[in-house]
Amino acid sequence: MAPIAADHLIETLNFEQRQAVEHGDGPLLIVAGAGTGKTATLVHRVAWLILRGSPSQRILLLTFTRRAAAEMIRRAESLIASLDGLSATGNRPSTRVGRIWGGTFHAIATRLLRRYGEAIGLSHNFMIHDRTDSEDLMGVLRTELGLHKADQRFPQKATCLDIYSRCVNAQEELTSALTKYFPWCLPWKENLRKLFDAYVDRKRKSAVLDYDDLLVCWIELLDHPRAGSAIRRLFDYVLVDEYQDTNPLQAQILYRLCPEGKGLTCVGDDAQSIYSFRGATVYNMLEFPKRFPNATVVTLEQNYRSTQPVLNASNAVLREAREGYRKTLWSERKEGPKPILAPCMDEDEQTEFVIERILDFYNRGIALRRQAVLFRASFHSIGLEAELLRRRIPFHKYGGLKFAETAHVKDLLAFLRVAENPRDLIAGTRILVMLPGIGPRTAQKLLNILAQAGGNFSAWRDHRVASAAAQSWKELVDLMVWLAAREANPAEQLAKVRAFYAPFLPQLYDNPIARSRDLEQVERIASRYRSRKAFLTEMALDPPNSTQDLSGNPELEEDYLVLSTIHSAKGLEWDAVYVIHATDGNIPSDMVTDCEELIEEERRLFYVALTRARTHLFVCYPMRYFRPGFSTGSFGADFGLAQISRFLTPKVCKAFEELVPQMPRHQIEDFEHDLPDGEPDHFTNRRYLRRLWS
DNA sequence: CTGTTGAAATTTTTT
DNA sequence: ATTTCAACAG
């Protein structure tokens, strides 16, 4: 007990934040608007609980990313350390804080399942399928069931997985999920059902869990009489961040973890719920006071992040939302530049505009890492990326394809995964079809042989394969036998795999040099892990964010611009934020225009983007596209005209300073060259308009 | 059975 | 631009 330190702890907080931090054991819901010190409050609460004497290893902190958990634990640690001098306890708080259970629902699920999974009949060495693996399995079953043979084409494997995952995560009946979110797939309902049955079945046989299974099995574990109560006994306090983006499964987990809501704290902002495509629902938040009648609800409205002009723009967007808690953020930072709305002629000009501003701010003392460019879809930044590369401006991109999901990295990891779990058919097929002369058919045969031998790779020894593969085949068998016999030192294992794999790389993909460098990185990452299983689990659940995260020399990497999807920008903030491609069709994405619920989610997404800015906010949109598929809605067109985002209504625009579109000089010259003689020389509005149609 | 080619269809965001 | 599938040659 350290009451003195605990008093000092809350000194810097406002009234509502204190209320939340010093709340006792009853269920607590913190409704926290953007930038209202949500993380600080959670961090202080963790510190407060520990200072009050709760053992840190009995606190569970559930966050949206591992990064967020690590960051919060670090902050709580330094908070306690800074107060430690004031308290007389003399304990070493840093070691105590470090032992908090922190991570994503999925990561914690994995930890618990490794420990208690046998209670529900789970093999102790189950492997985790990531998104791509799950898709691949869908693909295999899709052809196995002969679903591809039909008049109209069956949905793609990725779509099949999306549908399946939505049903599981949202606990929704297939029919209703289809009509609401995948209406174009309705005709396939019965066959989808068959496919999903086969999918569940095959996963079980392969001792493999996908992301959704982790949550489902956690619930199953909590419902198990012995394992359930054992797990409940582990924790005194459960704190959940970003509660608005949890799905019904996750809510079920919490209900079982904290019956009566004792020790449960959930934090969220209904205005920022942007993951409904993953089955998340604000319903969890709204339901909280009903589920726990003795719940305390604390609302945080004072924003510490942004200037009032930035908030005015954000509030204006939210005010037009169809429903939700009316919430008006306010800030003591009254002064600041008005956000800027910048129409651009085309994507190139938008790129030019953004880079110019970034460099200008940089020269005025705002480091690159204090600035971020945000966009709706990962591919929206490729034009910008090319220009940044050309100008040698360092950047990191978050969101989109992850390093561990690239084909060559997956190839490499597949060897270890098969060694770990010979029943993993997806990984098994992956390594086998690499050899020339071995296709899916032969691969399947070989995997059957392996299964019959109980996973002993020597069984492959006396098997003949096509002559083209004969030499590699022998090497592969030797490699697998060698791998299967060990568990420690994954880096050493990868070194051997890499030697075997190297000759295949140039045959399989273009760009072999860059890819081969990636593979070295994988090996370096592996060297941080003692066991193969731990390494593989980590790569499936929390892979490094981008290739750039790993490559490159440290000196250059010190300062870098941030490019991020809006989704990946959740919870973060920057001094200057540039939202690009704010056109209808991009924000909101034209994939969703029919359904009003989904449009509302896109509006919140836009809101999230705006509220990331501390001081400088720019919203840009090109008025014309030259690239196909960009806002035109069609795949074939080579250019299209764009409309400003419907969320930028006249009312909202009033909160912005609107710039007049400017044509870059070289374009004006080209343009004037094209004009018939006799036209006036000056850039006129009429000409500018013609440019749009010509 | 494998690997290649060409034509046709296709939905973003992520643990 | 990418994924999927059928047709065909080895």
Side-chain angles (χ1 to χ4, degrees), chain A residues 27-29 31 243 251-252 255 258-261 264 266 281-297 323 325:
Chain A
L28 170 68
L29 177 67
V31 181
Y243 194 49
Q252 288 303 320
Y255 297 157
C258 305
E260 328 290 314
L264 179 62
C266 293
T281 166
V282 279
Y283 186 75
N284 284 349
M285 263 186 89
L286 307 179
E287 186 73 354
F288 195 90
K290 290 179 211 152
R291 173 86 200 191
F292 307 115
N294 58 334
T296 305
V297 180
E323 58 175 23
Y325 294 116

Side-chain angles (χ1 to χ4, degrees), chain A residues 493-528:
Chain A
Q493 298 177 39
L494 274 182
K496 276 224 165 179
V497 173
R498 216 148 58 79
F500 173 80
Y501 181 66
F504 296 100
L505 192 56
Q507 293 169 30
L508 292 167
Y509 311 104
D510 53 352
N511 238 333
I513 303 152
R515 286 173 195 265
S516 151
R517 221 173 294 135
D518 284 349
L519 300 184
E520 287 171 35
Q521 290 299 332
V522 179
E523 198 178 314
R524 196 172 310 171
I525 297 171
S527 68
R528 297 205 287 257

Side-chain angles (χ1 to χ4, degrees), chain A residues 458-574:
Chain A
S458 312
W460 278 351
R461 276 250 155 73
D462 22 84
H463 234 272
R464 286 257 184 88
V465 293
S467 57
Q471 182 54 34
S472 326
W473 173 244
K474 202 178 125 31
E475 286 172 34
L476 177 68
V477 178
D478 288 343
L479 177 65
M480 292 317 298
V481 170
W482 184 82
L483 284 175
R486 57 206 69 223
E487 160 63 19
N489 203 344
E492 182 198 12
Q493 298 177 39
L494 274 182
K496 276 224 165 179
V497 173
R498 216 148 58 79
F500 173 80
Y501 181 66
F504 296 100
L505 192 56
Q507 293 169 30
L508 292 167
Y509 311 104
D510 53 352
N511 238 333
I513 303 152
R515 286 173 195 265
S516 151
R517 221 173 294 135
D518 284 349
L519 300 184
E520 287 171 35
Q521 290 299 332
V522 179
E523 198 178 314
R524 196 172 310 171
I525 297 171
S527 68
R528 297 205 287 257
Y529 295 85
R530 303 230 327 268
S531 95
R532 178 173 65 200
K533 198 190 291 170
F535 167 65
L536 290 173
T537 301
E538 201 62 27
M539 290 301 273
L541 283 182
D542 208 340
N545 247 309
S546 62
T547 331
Q548 286 116 355
D549 264 357
L550 312 148
S551 68
N553 46 57
E555 323 155 41
L556 256 177
E557 296 291 314
E558 254 170 40
D559 191 25
Y560 52 83
L561 177 70
V562 174
L563 310 193
S564 176
T565 59
I566 301 175
H567 282 92
S568 296
K570 192 168 79 154
L572 304 175
E573 62 175 40
W574 294 274

Side-chain angles (χ1 to χ4, degrees), chain A residues 5 15 159 268 386:
Chain A
F15 177 76
T159 312

Side-chain angles (χ1 to χ4, degrees), chain A residues 14 37 103 169 190 394 402 449 455 495 542 583 618 623 644 673:
Chain A
N14 68 32
N169 279 299
E190 283 319 311
K402 290 206 171 125
I449 292 168
D542 208 340
T583 55
F618 297 86
M623 296 184 291
I644 187 170
H673 191 73

